[in-house]
Amino acid sequence: MPSPALSTRAETTSRRRLPQWATSFGPQIVTGLVVGVILGLVARAMPVAADGNENWLVGTVHTIGSSYVKLLTVAVIPLVFTAIVSSIANLREVANAARLAVQTLLWFAITAFIAVVIGIVIGLVTQPGSHTTVTGAGKEPATTGSWWAFVTGLVPSNFLGLNAKTTLTEGAASTSLSFNVLQLLVVAAAIGIAALKVGAKAEPFLQFNASLLAIVQKVLWWIIRLAPIGTAALIANAVATYGWDAIGSLGWFTAAVYIGLAIVFLVVYPVLIRAHGLSVRAFYSGVWPATQLGFVSRSSIGTLPLTERVTERNLGVPREYASFAVPLGSTTKMDGCAAIYPAIAAIFVAEFYGVPLSFTDYLLIIVVSVIGSAATAGTTGATVMLTLTLSTLGLPLAGVGLLLAVEPIVDMGRTAVNVTGQALVPTIVAKREGILDEARYNAERTGDPFEDDEPVAAK
């Protein structure tokens, strides 16, 4: 009978015979991206259906991709609720909990300030509104940002912050549900604090919540394992639907946005990481799965479960802190959507309509970007954030409609930067407060970065 040591070596050798893409999550995601691009190009080259609708391949990748984002989004409500309650209960063991919260918000503001200044500089240098052939007056958006949105967004409309919207299409009514993460945070925080105040009587509830969190994380793990398939479908749908034709006359504007995003992603974030004595390579290898999914899914909320997981498992941020900071960041920490994009877009709209901007206007852009994402939290999107910026500057809201043609293309880069920043700030704060697990942060990214804490024995 073989010894346990020999059996273990045999199992390891067996695993190593498999190609890396079959055993490692990162290469699987990259493979999904490559396959998605190929499928998208094939789908784009295929003729449309006889009835004028999209061909079967476009319909297939669209359905698979949107279904995967829905799966991730479904996991957000139970994950955020149970994680926040659990983190508040565990914060009893973490010193300076209030200081952690303040430091988090402060670094949200610092990085947003840097990003919006870069956006303004890029806008002034490239002058995107003067290098466009867009015609027409544009169309005002149906949803606009408001400074009161932060106050109203804090007040839960129901227990889970759910919102229902009914639309009429050809006489048929359809109702869709959405949720407000900021309201969910408020509800979960209130219940967690109340449980601590109740004391011993709340222990059964806290134990149940901890068990439920473990179950939710297990289900989430199953969903995350489908990421390579979801990635392939999402990127295939993007390539097939948008390609590069949509850029058209807005190519200069699109390039300006991506230049700004690249500077933040490749210069600002690495500088901040190195300034805190951390490895840039370790950070990006740890956050990369979430960054990739954010790029293809175009949803910070949909990527939230994965962002939280890599922040904790790969970057070494304590679970008690990560489960608070990452969900908060998913609604209020958006360097792409709430800083770079509105700054460049506002300059574009001002140039297009011939409205000169003063030094005071540029200061207003900075103010809106630094605190405006909190003002639109729960409804934050680039369009909503841009309307808040334009209305503050007194620019025509119809200018938003001029940029809709390239919205999906620039949104991919914006979301990737958003997600990366949402993992960066908790990592920096944890390092500054001396609670970062640097051994985990610097660990070699081999095998599966999403392996469970308690591996299942081989059968």
Side-chain angles (χ1 to χ4, degrees), residues 223 250 297 320 417:
I223 296 173
L250 291 170
S297 69
E320 296 79 15
V417 172

Side-chain angles (χ1 to χ4, degrees), residues 146-201:
S146 167
W147 286 105
W148 283 107
F150 178 66
V151 178
T152 57
L154 283 173
V155 181
S157 54
N158 52 64
F159 180 69
L160 294 177
L162 292 172
N163 299 309
K165 181 179 180 181
T166 302
T167 56
L168 291 174
T169 305
E170 297 179 355
S174 60
T175 301
S176 60
L177 293 176
S178 60
F179 58 90
N180 187 312
V181 176
L182 187 63
Q183 292 180 5
L184 187 59
L185 281 169
V186 171
V187 171
I191 292 177
I193 294 171
L196 290 182
K197 295 295 184 181
V198 169
K201 291 183 179 180

Side-chain angles (χ1 to χ4, degrees), residues 148-423:
W148 283 107
F150 178 66
V151 178
T152 57
L154 283 173
V155 181
S157 54
N158 52 64
F159 180 69
L160 294 177
L162 292 172
N163 299 309
K165 181 179 180 181
T166 302
T167 56
L168 291 174
T169 305
E170 297 179 355
S174 60
T175 301
S176 60
L177 293 176
S178 60
F179 58 90
N180 187 312
V181 176
L182 187 63
Q183 292 180 5
L184 187 59
L185 281 169
V186 171
V187 171
I191 292 177
I193 294 171
L196 290 182
K197 295 295 184 181
V198 169
K201 291 183 179 180
E203 285 302 320
F205 166 74
L206 292 177
Q207 292 175 4
F208 169 77
N209 181 81
S211 298
L212 181 58
L213 174 60
I215 294 172
V216 170
Q217 288 177 326
K218 174 61 70 174
V219 174
L220 175 61
W221 160 243
W222 295 339
I223 296 173
I224 288 175
R225 289 300 298 144
L226 298 174
I229 299 174
T231 297
L234 287 164
I235 198 68
N237 181 65
V239 172
T241 304
Y242 310 116
W244 294 105
D245 297 339
I247 295 180
S249 57
L250 291 170
W252 201 260
F253 170 79
T254 305
V257 173
Y258 268 92
I259 290 171
L261 294 172
I263 292 174
V264 170
F265 187 81
L266 299 175
V267 179
V268 175
Y269 289 171
V271 167
L272 291 175
I273 293 167
R274 289 299 303 159
H276 287 86
L278 296 174
S279 166
V280 174
R281 178 181 176 277
F283 173 78
Y284 280 104
S285 65
V287 78
W288 191 244
T291 302
Q292 290 179 120
L293 185 59
F295 182 82
V296 298
S297 69
R298 297 171 47 207
S299 173
S300 292
I301 296 298
T303 313
L304 168 60
L306 183 55
T307 309
E308 183 174 328
R309 196 174 184 96
V310 300
T311 303
E312 173 195 335
R313 296 288 184 89
N314 287 4
L315 301 180
V317 178
R319 176 178 298 178
E320 296 79 15
Y321 172 51
S323 60
F324 159 77
V326 177
L328 179 63
S330 69
T331 60
T332 60
K333 172 60 183 164
M334 300 192 177
D335 291 336
C337 289
I340 296 172
Y341 177 77
I344 297 176
I347 293 173
F348 172 91
V349 172
E351 290 176 347
F352 183 86
Y353 287 101
V355 179
L357 295 178
S358 64
F359 179 75
T360 303
D361 292 323
Y362 294 119
L363 290 179
L364 285 175
I365 292 176
I366 294 174
V367 171
V368 173
S369 295
V370 171
I371 66 176
S373 56
T376 56
T379 58
T380 299
T383 299
V384 175
M385 188 64 199
L386 178 55
T387 60
L388 179 64
T389 305
L390 296 182
S391 60
T392 302
L393 297 176
L395 295 173
L397 294 182
V400 176
L402 299 171
L403 305 174
L404 293 180
V406 294
E407 172 65 18
I409 294 173
V410 297
D411 194 32
M412 298 173 78
R414 290 187 317 226
T415 308
V417 172
N418 291 345
V419 168
T420 306
Q422 290 157 15

Side-chain angles (χ1 to χ4, degrees), residues 4-153:
L6 290 175
S7 177
T8 301
R9 282 198 296 269
E11 289 173 5
T12 302
T13 303
S14 176
R15 285 196 207 99
R16 287 177 179 171
R17 288 175 182 171
L18 296 173
Q20 188 181 30
W21 63 265
T23 59
S24 185
F25 188 82
Q28 289 175 359
I29 291 288
V30 174
T31 302
L33 284 169
V34 174
V35 172
V37 171
I38 295 173
L39 286 176
L41 293 174
V42 172
R44 192 169 181 81
M46 292 173 62
V48 297
D51 57 3
N53 294 323
E54 59 191 16
N55 61 63
W56 67 269
L57 185 53
V58 174
T60 300
V61 295
H62 172 75
T63 301
I64 295 175
S66 60
S67 297
Y68 182 69
V69 174
K70 287 179 182 178
L71 280 176
L72 284 171
T73 305
V74 164
V76 169
I77 292 181
L79 174 67
V80 170
F81 182 84
T82 55
I84 290 295
V85 172
S86 180
S87 67
I88 289 177
N90 293 332
L91 279 176
R92 291 175 294 184
E93 305 172 6
V94 178
N96 300 325
R99 178 180 171 85
L100 282 174
V102 172
Q103 285 282 314
T104 302
L105 295 174
L106 176 62
W107 277 98
F108 281 177
I110 290 173
T111 51
F113 172 80
I114 297 172
V116 69
V117 170
I118 290 173
I120 291 175
V121 172
I122 295 296
L124 292 175
V125 171
T126 61
Q127 298 183 338
S130 302
H131 296 82
T132 181
T133 57
V134 171
T135 58
K139 182 181 179 181
E140 291 195 14
T143 305
T144 59
S146 167
W147 286 105
W148 283 107
F150 178 66
V151 178
T152 57

